[in-house]
Amino acid sequence: MSRKLLPGLPTTVPVTAVTLDNERMVTITLDAKINMEPGQFVMLWIPGIDEKPFSVLKPDPLTISIACIGPFTNKLRALKPGDKLGYRGPYGKGFKITGKKVLIVGGGCGLASVAHLATVCSGQGIETHVLAAFKTKTEAFHLETLEKAGCIMHPCTDDGSLGFKGYAAALVAELLQSNTFDQVYACGPEMMLVTTRTVLDEAKVPYQFSLERYMKCGIGICDQCSMNGQLVCQDGPVFDQTQIVKLTELGKFRRLVTGEKVSAITAPSC
Amino acid sequence: MADLSVNLCGIKLRNPTILASGVLGVSGDTMKRVYDIGAGAITLKSITNEARKGHPGPVMLATDHYFMNAVGLSGQGVEGVKDEVKILKDAGVPVIASVFAASFEECGDIAARFESYGVDAIELNISCPNLSAGEKFGVTIGTSCDLTAQNTAAVKKKTSIPLIVKLSPNVTDIVPIAKAAVDAGADMIAAVNTFGPGLKIDIEAARPVLSNKLGGVSGPGILPLALAIIWRLRQAIEVPIIAMGGITKYEDVIEMMMAGADAVAIGTGVYYSGIAIFRELNIGLSDWLDSHGYQSISEIKGLAQKA
Ligand SMILES: Cc1cc2nc3c(=O)[nH]c(=O)nc-3n(C[C@H](O)[C@H](O)[C@H](O)COP(=O)(O)OP(=O)(O)OC[C@H]3O[C@@H](n4cnc5c(N)ncnc54)[C@H](O)[C@@H]3O)c2cc1C
Ligand SMILES: Cc1cc2nc3c(=O)[nH]c(=O)nc-3n(C[C@H](O)[C@H](O)[C@H](O)COP(=O)(O)O)c2cc1C
Ligand code: FES
């Protein structure tokens, strides 16, 4: 046994707060704190129901930002302070913080996966630009919190109801016209990542993306999260541009709970 | 450098370490990576005709000493797995396909499909303990000599590649079951599947951790139990034995081989040491054999039985 073992059991603690951020987003705070790098994730366990992967919004106290899009996430929303929730982790490789000026792109609930990174970068004195992309204004969340943390905000909506009108990749291209970023970080719907990547490759800007695949174990055993043989739970979820070149399944295939391969862009994005 | 290669009923493996069924056995690319890092062969996760979701989470848990799972035989079905097998066979990887089904007929048909995909051997899983109510495969079969013989014969009839039957340790006496399998046509025996069932309760939640409540136990804690089973099997049957259960170190492999195993499989060891375990085991084996003056790993097979 040559390595430090990954956490193998949930730690079950009371929920201390459940806050609705908008119609779909809820923030859950637990009576716990963890040591982690921005970009790592935990498995959340509703005892007796199911267990699913979530990024960490804040490690102390452990806080998770959740898009309520299906059975499990809606059960999370229904939790009340005092209810028990289990977590295990942190798992995976987080973001490597580098440079003096960075752009952080969060699409939809993907913003939850990069919000902690943005706060940490800003706290370290890095000039932190955050591109927060939503379908429409009513889906926006965390904008004020990030602004208060010192981030320079660039909101964007598909319908123009808030900020830039159009897709994230278009705004990234526009921002690159007048800014030089040392590193770009992104998490969001797979189509957003694919289009953003093209823009970044053309501009030759280094980047790190946080990817999502169906996860059952989080500890490198079930193979459910494999992308081209890389385990997103362990080798990722954060990959840099040199690794992403080899992930040819990005934007093409993902696996269902059974392991069957289906198109990656049909995923209901949060 | 000592020769680590083994021959299992005509299937030549460059070393005796096989990836056990159900651990990293879904993606052809992942399994190829496991082979590239050092495994001698790969076993696919057990597959049946249709796609299965398995149980809700948690489907597994780990401690320093043991591991427990109740995945519930999730899988993409025999059709979907064709492309994964192709990735492996195109790369020259020896592949064992693990199969199970609700009827013996169907089991034979699935095995025949796998044979047409070009796999090297079939492993009949009659030992999975994590079934839902009413499911009549896995350990339901592996605890009965009669059913074991019928299922083995049904698969043997429809295939011509070597047939491995994988046994459950959760029986009063494993020897008659192994003999029933061999008499019905099994070319090899794999042992053991997980022990149990086991149970882990989260005391703060006041309920079992696994969604299935009960699960199969694997990992370092089961090694002595598995080893004793290999010991007893070797005294009772002649066919090659693929030994598994709790292997995390090269010394464990040597113990299994000295008890009489022909090859070993590693599942949970991947949690304890990562996929590099296959490289580490083989380096350890090779160094140990060299330093003890053995030319080949086959020389240590059954050594402890002669003592
Ligand atoms: C590393 C990682 C970090 C994540 N971080 C967050 C986060 O911070 N906030 C957030 O709201 N969501 C996050 N997610 C997504 C979250 O896990 C899913 O939205 C959630 O599991 C949906 O469950 P459901 O039952 O509500 O919806 P379902 O209707 O079951 O599924 C809706 C969508 O979620 C996906 N999904 C379902 N189960 C899983 C699973 N076990 N693993 C991965 N995807 C799954 C499905 O493929 C589908 O696309 C993250 C996912 C991963 C892999
Ligand atoms: C997560 C997990 C899933 C498993 N799935 C299967 C399976 O699908 N088919 C099977 O025959 N055995 C399965 N097993 C059992 C292993 O192949 C092996 O027999 C057992 O775990 C003992 O070996 P180990 O201690 O090296 O893991 C599974 C084990 C684990 C830990
Ligand atoms: S989630 Fe199980 S291997 Fe990644």
Side-chain angles (χ1 to χ4, degrees), chain A residues 223 229 255, chain B residues 14 19 23-36 39-45 76 81-98 114 117-120:
Chain A
D223 205 12
R255 283 179 197 275
Chain B
R14 60 188 181 179
L19 177 69
V23 169
L24 297 182
V26 176
S27 148
D29 290 321
T30 311
M31 291 183 274
K32 179 172 178 301
R33 186 175 167 199
V34 172
Y35 179 75
D36 288 343
I42 296 296
T43 314
L44 307 176
K45 176 150 182 61
Q76 48 187 324
V81 89
K82 186 175 179 177
D83 295 342
E84 318 294 345
V85 174
K86 185 170 187 314
I87 292 171
L88 294 169
K89 288 320 298 175
D90 285 352
V93 180
V95 177
I96 300 166
S98 173
F114 271 117
Y117 294 172
V119 304
D120 299 272

Side-chain angles (χ1 to χ4, degrees), chain A:
Chain A
M1 279 171 247
S2 57
R3 62 173 189 175
K4 193 171 173 291
L5 295 179
L6 295 170
L9 285 169
T11 303
T12 304
V13 294
V15 168
T16 51
V18 181
T19 324
L20 290 178
D21 297 311
N22 63 32
E23 274 172 26
R24 275 185 350 139
M25 297 299 299
V26 61
T27 301
I28 296 188
T29 311
L30 302 180
D31 185 12
K33 62 173 177 181
I34 61 171
N35 279 323
M36 56 162 297
E37 301 166 12
Q40 287 189 295
F41 69 96
V42 294
M43 298 294 289
L44 284 188
W45 175 44
I46 307 180
I49 304 288
D50 207 339
E51 193 193 37
K52 305 267 180 188
F54 294 90
S55 306
V56 173
L57 181 65
K58 225 165 71 178
D60 183 13
L62 180 55
T63 309
I64 317 282
S65 180
I66 294 147
C68 305
I69 56 165
F72 186 77
T73 46
N74 278 305
K75 288 204 175 79
L76 284 173
R77 171 168 41 195
L79 292 175
K80 303 268 173 299
D83 287 348
K84 297 284 179 77
L85 191 59
Y87 69 91
R88 59 184 175 93
Y91 296 125
K93 304 224 164 27
F95 293 104
K96 279 180 221 63
I97 297 178
T98 159
K100 295 197 181 68
K101 177 172 174 176
V102 301
L103 173 64
I104 297 176
V105 183
C109 85
L111 183 62
S113 303
V114 289
H116 180 217
L117 170 76
T119 324
V120 172
C121 284
S122 177
Q124 292 184 4
I126 296 170
E127 184 181 324
T128 307
H129 293 252
V130 174
L131 190 169
F134 306 100
K135 287 199 184 81
T136 183
K137 186 179 175 178
T138 51
E139 295 191 358
F141 63 98
H142 289 334
L143 297 179
E144 279 171 34
T145 330
L146 289 169
E147 193 154 16
K148 265 192 213 137
C151 302
I152 301 157
M153 301 303 292
H154 304 278
C156 125
T157 46
D158 295 358
D159 61 4
S161 52
L162 177 72
F164 179 87
K165 179 176 193 294
Y167 292 131
L171 181 52
V172 171
E174 193 177 290
L175 290 172
L176 285 174
Q177 306 269 312
S178 46
N179 294 274
T180 308
F181 296 109
D182 299 319
Q183 191 80 203
V184 175
Y185 303 89
C187 183
E190 202 129 318
M191 259 346 268
M192 181 199 97
L193 294 178
V194 170
T195 49
T196 303
R197 180 186 163 198
T198 311
V199 171
L200 296 171
D201 282 338
E202 272 169 20
K204 298 204 167 49
V205 184
Y207 53 89
Q208 299 172 38
F209 288 176
S210 176
L211 307 183
E212 287 183 11
R213 280 296 179 267
Y214 203 98
M215 292 182 181
K216 286 189 179 173
C217 74
I219 55 175
I221 293 294
C222 74
D223 205 12
Q224 197 69 41
C225 65
S226 174
M227 280 180 92
N228 299 94
Q230 296 295 303
L231 300 176
V232 174
C233 71
Q234 204 165 54
D235 302 305
V238 176
F239 295 95
D240 67 21
Q241 81 271 9
T242 63
Q243 297 168 307
I244 289 171
V245 182
K246 296 174 203 147
L247 300 180
T248 55
E249 290 181 17
L250 182 71
K252 299 212 169 61
F253 305 111
R254 65 188 175 102
R255 283 179 197 275
L256 300 175
V257 57
T258 55
E260 292 163 285
K261 269 184 163 183
V262 295
S263 163
I265 47 174
T266 56
S269 68
C270 55

Side-chain angles (χ1 to χ4, degrees), chain B residues 10 35 42 68 77 89 107 109 125 139 205 214 261 279 290 299:
Chain B
Y35 179 75
I42 296 296
M68 209 185 293
K89 288 320 298 175
C107 213
D109 292 338
N125 176 0
V139 75
L214 303 177
R279 185 176 57 214
D290 286 347
E299 290 168 42

